[in-house]
Amino acid sequence: MYGLMYKVVYSISLFVIIAILLYYMLTGRGFQIDIEWFFNSTTPYMWASLGIGLSIALSVVGAAWGIFLTGTSIIGGGVKAPRIKTRNLISIIFCEAVAIYGIIMAIVLMGKMGSFNADVDYPILEQNRKSAYLLFGAGLTVGLSNLACGVCVGIVGSGAALADAQNPALFVKILIVEIFGSAIGLFGIIIAIIQTKGAGMGNTLSS
């Protein structure tokens, strides 16, 4: 089922891309299929905003995915061993923390955004473009890291719930693995902070 879904998504995406390329070529605007033209015609605010949006969106998707994986196992295993429902909620908390990581980083990235005049000198414009790309990269880094972190914690948490239902002594051992899995999101935040160390949008050149 999933293989068929991936093929359908891939086919539709490929069709849309080919249709857009043919449209531009047949209407005499093939010169616009240019990476340089694309980057020069887009505003830095778009890239910065995309980075902030991806930071939150992918983190929330990762958290939701992890809660889905863990929650179903807790509910299913709780039928056989009701005692696991309470202490396995820590897996849900780890998953929810992934979304909080994304929100915190989005707030940090928003603090680096600032208004600037499009008619300013070229060096200032280039600085704002560079800062916007850094914010986009940082947001994408945080989002993808938290997405992977949420799935990782969800799968391990699911296994912890099922193992706890069979043997309570296994819970603490698997919980250690889950803690290390949740650190992936923190690594993404640290990398994003390093990426945006020199980023700052505005009308003045940063030192």
Side-chain angles (χ1 to χ4, degrees), residues 33-157:
I33 307 174
D34 184 7
I35 299 297
E36 181 181 1
W37 171 86
F38 174 73
F39 282 107
N40 287 331
S41 61
T42 53
T43 173
Y45 291 117
M46 184 196 77
W47 295 104
S49 300
L50 277 175
I52 294 171
L54 288 172
S55 174
I56 297 178
L58 293 178
S59 298
V60 171
V61 170
W65 201 340
I67 292 173
F68 164 72
L69 293 172
T70 304
T72 51
S73 295
I74 293 175
I75 294 172
V79 174
K80 179 180 182 296
R83 58 180 172 77
I84 73 169
K85 294 180 180 179
T86 302
R87 65 178 181 176
N88 276 278
L89 289 178
I90 191 171
S91 300
I92 303 295
I93 295 173
F94 281 145
C95 293
E96 190 64 31
V98 172
I100 296 175
Y101 294 159
I103 294 173
I104 292 173
M105 199 60 209
I107 294 173
V108 172
L109 296 180
M110 286 181 64
K112 295 183 178 294
M113 289 185 67
S115 60
F116 71 96
N117 186 1
D119 298 327
V120 295
D121 296 334
Y122 183 76
I124 297 179
L125 179 61
E126 285 301 299
Q127 174 186 285
N128 283 279
R129 284 178 176 171
K130 172 191 171 185
S131 299
Y133 297 149
L134 288 174
L135 295 179
F136 173 75
L140 188 61
T141 299
V142 172
L144 292 177
S145 298
N146 286 336
L147 178 61
C149 178
V151 175
C152 174
V153 172
I155 294 174
V156 176

